[in-house]
Amino acid sequence: MGRVRRWTAICAFVGCVLGLSYVLVAPSVVAAKVRGELAAHGYPDAQLHVDSIGLRHIELSGVTLREGLSLGAVSLDAGLSMLWGDRIDEITIRGANVSSAALQASSGTPIGSPTTRPFRRLRIADSTLVIRDTEVAVAGTIAFGPPHTIVDLDTRIASVRRGALVAHDVVGHVTARDEVIRACVTGTVVGAGGDNRAHACAYGQVQGSSIDDARYDGHLEVVVPIASFSGATVRLATISAEVAGALSDLELRGTARARAVELHDRFQTQLAAPQLAFAVRASIDTRGVTVVAREPHILHVRDTSFVAAGSQLAAHQATVSLPAGSIRMPGAPLVWPRALTWTAPKLEWAGIRLTGASGTFEPLTEVVHWRATRVNREELAFHAASGTVTGTQLAWRADRASWRDAGVVGVRGSVDLERGIGRWTARNGRWGRSRFTAPGGVVDLDPSRADRVEWRTMSGPYGVELGAGSLRYRGTRGGIRIEHGTVAAAGGQLDVQPVTVPDEAPTDVLLRARGLSLGELAAKVGRGRMRATGVVDGEITLHVGGAGCSLKRGLLRTRGHGTVQIGDGGLRSRLAASASTPGLAVHHRVAAALADFQYSQVIAVLGAPGAGPDLRVVTRGRGNRVPQDLDLVITIRGVRDAADRFSRRVSRGV
C-alpha cells in the first residue's frame, strides 16, 4: 500500500514538473520555432507573443514581420506537434494591417512559395491591405494543394480618391484555382457629374510566386450602366480587353463600347453606339497607373450629332483614329494628341449632305480639316470639296459644282457658322451653253431665308450678251421661290419680280425692263441693218415650264424722243407694207421716211397667244430726209414662234 502511494506521489511530482516545464519552456520554444520559420522566409526581425498553447491550437498576438507588415493575431491549427516539424493544417490571421510598399520591399523566399509553404490553409479575417493611402478590407481563405490551390477572398474599400474622382463602397471578390484566377469588383464612382455605379471582372491565368514577378494572361470586362462627368455623360459603357504581361508592363487590346455618349460642350455633341478599338501598354505600381497607347486607337461611331449655328450635324458610321502616344495619369487630365483622324461615309447638317467625308481634328486649337467626294444641298452639288473649320468660320473649296443644268468650276467659299451665312465665288460657270464669268453668291443656312447667286457677265448662243446680275431665291417644297433678280442688259436693267416656280407645274415670270438702250436692241434685232437712239422701259412675261421658256406677252415703250435709221431697203418696204396706211404713194413715202426718222414715241406690244398679230409696233414721228409725218401701227407675225424657238434653245443650251 505504501509503495502505491509513493509511486502516485512520484507521478504527481513528475506531472507537476512536466506541466511547469510546459508552461515555462513551451512558449519560448514555440516562439523560437516560429521566429526561425519567419527568418528562413526573409523576416529575421519578426516580433510576436505566444498567448496560449493547446493540444490542437497555438494563439499568437502582436505578430509584426517588419514595419508595415503587421499580422495582428495569428491562430495556428497545431499544438506541440509543431515542435518536431509536423506541417500545420491551418493558419488564421485576424486584424492584420499590411502595406503594399512593405510587401514590395520584402526580401527572401515568400511564405506562400509552393516549395517552402509550412501550412495547408490560410484564413484571413478583419484584415487590411494599405495601397498608397487606400485601405482595402480583406477576408477569405487560401487552400494550398495537393491537389489544387484554391483562393476565395472578399475585399472592400470604403472610399478612395484619385484626383477629382472619388470611389466608395467598392466591393470585390477574388477566386482562383491553381493558376486560373477570376476577380470582380463593384463600386460607385463620384465625379463632377454625380454618382456612377460600375462593375468590372478579370479572369485568366497567373504565373509567378509574387506580385512583382507574376505574369498575367487573361481577359478584362468592365460595365458602367451610367457615368456622368463634368464634360460628358456615358450610358451603358462596356470595356472588353485581352490582358498579357506583368503589372509593370501590361499589354491590353480590346474594345470599348457605349450605348450613347453626350458631351456637354458648346456643340452639344451626341454619339450613338460609339466603339473604340485600342491597344495600350499599362504600368501599375504603388504610385498609380500609367497608360500609353502602343498604336493608333480606332473609334467607330454609329450616329454622331452636334449642334452648330442652330443646326444639327449628323454623321453615320463615322470612324476616328487617335494617334499613338496618348497618356493618362490617375487624377490628371487627358493629354490630347495633336490631331485626330476621322472618316464618315455620310454627314448631314442644315440640309447639307457630305458623302465620303474624312479629315483631321486638332483638339488643342479646335481646328477641323475636312474633305468630301461630294457635298450637296437639295439639287446643288459640290464635287471634290475640302475645307477648314476654325472657331465659327468655315473656309472651303471644290473642283466644281452643279445645279440641274448649271455648273461652276474652281469654287471657293466661306461660312460664318455663328450667323449661318456663307459666301462663294468661282472662276466661271455655265447653264447649258450659256456662260458666266466670276459667278458667286451668298448661301443662308436658314431655309426660311433666301440665298443669292451673282455673276459678272453672262453670254449665250446666238449672240446673247448680258452684264452683271444677281438672283435671290430659296428652296421650297417642290420648287424655288425667287425673291428678286436683276441683270444688266442692253445698257439697262431687267428686274425679275417675286414668284414661286414649281418643279412640275408651269408658271409665269414677270420681267421689268428699265433704261434699255434702243440702239443696242436695234443692233441685235436688225443684225446691222438698223440703228437707233433712245431709252426703253416696259414689262415682259415669260412662261416657264418643263419644255423650257417662252414669251407670253410684253410691252416696251420709249422714254422720250429718239431716232431710227433703217438701212435695208427691203426691210423698210416690208415694214411700210405692214403698216395700216393704204396707197402706193404713201407706201413709198413711209418706206423712204423709215430710212431716217425722229420719233416722239415707239410702243411695241406682244399680245397674249391667240389675240391677233404677234407683235404690234406703234410709231409716231417725222422723217428727217423725207418730210413725212409718221403715225404707224406695224404688225409683225411669226415673232412669237421665232422668239419661243430662240428662248427654248437658249434655256436648253442648244
Side-chain angles (χ1 to χ4, degrees):
M1 192 70 180
R3 183 177 296 177
V4 172
R5 290 192 184 98
R6 284 195 301 272
W7 277 107
T8 302
I10 292 172
C11 289
F13 176 76
V14 172
C16 290
V17 171
L18 291 175
L20 182 61
S21 300
Y22 178 80
V23 172
L24 296 177
V25 177
S28 61
V29 173
V30 170
K33 177 70 173 179
V34 173
R35 290 192 182 96
E37 290 287 344
L38 294 176
H41 287 81
Y43 302 102
D45 300 324
Q47 303 293 321
L48 58 92
H49 182 268
V50 180
D51 287 349
S52 64
I53 301 175
L55 295 178
R56 297 289 302 272
H57 295 282
I58 297 177
E59 301 292 337
L60 308 177
S61 63
V63 180
T64 302
L65 304 184
R66 57 171 296 168
E67 183 180 357
L69 290 178
S70 173
L71 302 186
V74 178
S75 176
L76 306 178
D77 187 13
L80 293 176
S81 61
M82 75 166 290
L83 297 178
W84 49 81
D86 278 5
R87 187 177 181 183
I88 301 172
D89 286 335
E90 184 175 286
I91 294 180
T92 301
I93 298 176
R94 294 183 180 88
N97 193 297
V98 178
S99 71
S100 60
L103 283 176
Q104 285 189 331
S106 298
S107 60
T109 305
I111 294 178
S113 173
T115 60
T116 61
R117 189 180 302 114
F119 51 86
R120 292 185 177 91
R121 185 166 51 252
L122 174 65
R123 292 187 182 275
I124 303 173
D126 302 327
S127 297
T128 302
L129 173 63
V130 180
I131 303 175
R132 297 182 69 185
D133 56 350
T134 302
E135 294 184 352
V136 183
V138 182
T141 62
I142 303 176
F144 302 97
H148 302 288
T149 298
I150 299 175
V151 178
D152 190 347
L153 296 176
D154 292 314
T155 63
R156 184 179 184 276
I157 301 176
S159 179
V160 59
R161 176 183 292 275
R162 288 294 180 266
L165 298 180
V166 178
H168 60 80
D169 193 23
V170 181
V171 178
H173 186 69
V174 180
T175 60
R177 184 181 179 90
D178 294 332
E179 295 177 349
V180 180
I181 187 171
R182 179 181 178 88
C184 294
V185 62
T186 301
T188 300
V189 180
V190 182
D195 294 356
N196 310 298
R197 197 68 178 171
H199 177 75
C201 280
Y203 53 89
Q205 288 189 331
V206 181
Q207 295 179 339
S209 58
S210 68
I211 295 178
D212 288 338
D213 64 8
R215 292 194 61 82
Y216 304 88
D217 186 3
H219 189 78
L220 174 67
E221 292 281 349
V222 180
V223 179
V224 183
I226 184 170
S228 297
F229 309 98
S230 59
T233 298
V234 181
R235 302 184 187 278
L236 193 58
T238 62
I239 299 175
S240 178
E242 300 299 323
V243 183
L247 290 182
S248 59
D249 189 9
L250 276 177
E251 292 282 348
L252 293 92
R253 288 180 180 272
T255 304
R257 298 179 176 89
R259 177 179 296 172
V261 176
E262 302 168 3
L263 303 181
H264 312 311
D265 54 10
R266 63 189 181 96
F267 297 116
Q268 302 176 33
T269 306
Q270 297 179 348
L271 310 178
Q275 177 177 307
L276 173 65
F278 60 86
V280 300
R281 173 184 172 270
S283 176
I284 304 174
D285 53 30
T286 57
R287 295 172 297 176
V289 180
T290 302
V291 179
V292 181
R294 299 297 293 269
E295 58 189 55
H297 308 333
I298 304 297
L299 173 63
H300 299 280
V301 181
R302 188 181 66 196
D303 295 297
T304 307
S305 66
F306 66 85
V307 176
S311 300
Q312 187 179 67
L313 183 147
H316 307 283
Q317 305 296 334
T319 299
V320 181
S321 177
L322 291 75
S326 305
I327 302 175
R328 182 176 179 85
M329 294 292 293
L334 180 66
V335 180
W336 283 102
R338 296 184 60 181
L340 309 179
T341 303
W342 58 270
T343 60
K346 188 169 80 170
L347 287 172
E348 297 182 8
W349 175 52
I352 300 174
R353 293 180 177 86
L354 283 76
T355 304
S358 61
T360 60
F361 171 61
E362 300 173 4
L364 299 180
T365 58
E366 293 189 355
V367 175
V368 178
H369 302 276
W370 63 271
R371 55 188 174 274
T373 56
R374 178 183 171 91
V375 180
N376 66 286
R377 185 187 189 201
E378 296 178 347
E379 295 183 76
L380 176 63
F382 298 91
H383 305 271
S386 61
T388 303
V389 180
T390 306
T392 60
Q393 300 297 315
L394 163 64
W396 60 275
R397 61 188 299 173
D399 288 350
R400 59 188 179 89
S402 59
W403 180 80
R404 296 187 178 180
D405 196 32
V408 293
V409 296
V411 197
R412 294 178 178 268
S414 62
V415 179
D416 187 324
L417 299 178
E418 187 173 6
R419 298 173 56 201
I421 296 177
R423 293 194 59 88
W424 64 273
T425 59
R427 291 197 303 271
N428 54 65
R430 62 162 181 81
W431 189 342
R433 285 174 55 190
S434 299
R435 295 293 183 263
F436 301 83
T437 62
V442 177
V443 177
D444 198 316
L445 299 182
D446 185 346
S448 65
R449 297 196 294 260
D451 299 338
R452 187 171 80 245
V453 62
E454 53 196 23
W455 59 90
R456 185 177 299 165
T457 64
M458 182 176 71
S459 60
Y462 309 104
V464 174
E465 296 287 346
L466 298 175
S470 65
L471 190 70
R472 286 196 298 114
Y473 67 96
R474 58 184 174 86
T476 62
R477 288 186 176 180
I480 294 178
R481 173 66 181 177
I482 298 178
E483 303 289 354
H484 182 262
T486 182
V487 59
Q493 184 171 295
L494 295 176
D495 294 329
V496 182
Q497 301 306 296
V499 64
T500 298
V501 182
D503 286 337
E504 302 298 334
T507 188
D508 293 340
V509 178
L510 177 61
L511 303 179
R512 285 205 168 94
R514 295 185 295 124
L516 303 184
S517 169
L518 184 58
E520 292 191 26
L521 293 177
K524 291 292 183 183
V525 175
R527 298 183 181 180
R529 298 175 298 174
M530 182 186 306
R531 293 184 297 175
T533 62
V535 177
V536 175
D537 302 319
E539 295 180 352
I540 300 172
T541 301
L542 301 177
H543 189 67
V544 180
C549 176
S550 62
L551 285 171
K552 185 173 183 179
R553 57 180 173 270
L555 171 66
L556 295 177
R557 183 194 304 269
T558 56
R559 187 193 302 173
H561 298 269
T563 60
V564 174
Q565 296 175 336
I566 301 176
D568 188 315
L571 176 59
R572 293 196 304 269
S573 179
R574 288 192 298 272
L575 293 176
S578 64
S580 57
T581 302
L584 182 59
V586 175
H587 170 80
H588 287 302
R589 290 184 61 82
V590 169
L594 290 176
D596 184 4
F597 72 95
Q598 185 169 354
Y599 64 84
S600 60
Q601 186 181 50
V602 175
I603 301 174
V605 179
L606 180 68
D614 292 343
L615 180 64
R616 291 188 305 156
V617 180
V618 179
T619 303
R620 293 185 178 87
R622 182 176 178 81
N624 290 327
R625 300 177 183 175
V626 179
Q628 172 68 45
D629 292 332
L630 299 175
D631 189 354
L632 307 176
V633 178
I634 302 172
T635 59
I636 305 175
R637 301 183 184 275
V639 173
R640 183 185 305 280
D641 292 338
D644 289 348
R645 288 193 300 270
F646 177 79
S647 298
R648 283 194 293 268
R649 287 182 176 180
V650 172
S651 61
R652 293 177 179 176
V654 296

